[in-house]
């Protein structure tokens, strides 16, 4: 496994980040919508990754709902 912490940052528990970087398929909805995000967004990404690893399928449910509502 290769990990790059070049874009990692530390912030307080109550602080929200507004950075936008990464692959949209793994981003939490609040990141894509630009509402600011906290550690929950990291868990969203881990969940998407685990889903793909366990099922062998791409999780596109959110993207379909997001694009369909625009």
């Amino acid at each position: 496994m290769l990990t790059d912490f070049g874009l990692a940052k530390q912030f307080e528990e109550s602080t929200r980040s507004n950075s936008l970087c990464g692959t949209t398929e793994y981003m939490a909805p609040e990141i894509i919508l630009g509402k600011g995000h906290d550690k929950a967004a990291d868990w969203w990404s881990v969940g998407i990754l685990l889903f793909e690893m366990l099922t062998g399928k791409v999780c596109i449910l959110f993207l379909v709902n997001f694009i369909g509502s625009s």
Side-chain angles (χ1 to χ4, degrees):
M1 177 182 283
L2 179 63
T3 305
D4 179 11
F5 292 106
L7 296 173
K9 59 176 146 178
Q10 292 181 333
F11 50 90
E12 301 296 323
E13 285 291 324
S14 61
T15 306
R16 298 179 74 78
S17 177
N18 290 311
S19 58
L20 177 66
C21 62
T23 307
T24 55
E25 287 86 0
Y26 298 93
M27 286 185 188
E30 59 265 32
I31 296 176
I32 294 173
L33 297 173
K35 295 183 177 180
H37 56 279
D38 55 10
K39 291 181 182 180
D42 294 332
W43 287 110
W44 172 280
S45 299
V46 170
I48 298 295
L49 179 64
L50 287 173
F51 175 84
E52 290 185 4
M53 291 174 69
L54 292 171
T55 65
K57 298 178 182 177
V58 177
C59 183
I60 60 168
L61 180 61
F62 170 73
L63 292 176
V64 170
N65 290 335
F66 181 74
I67 293 170
S69 66
S70 297

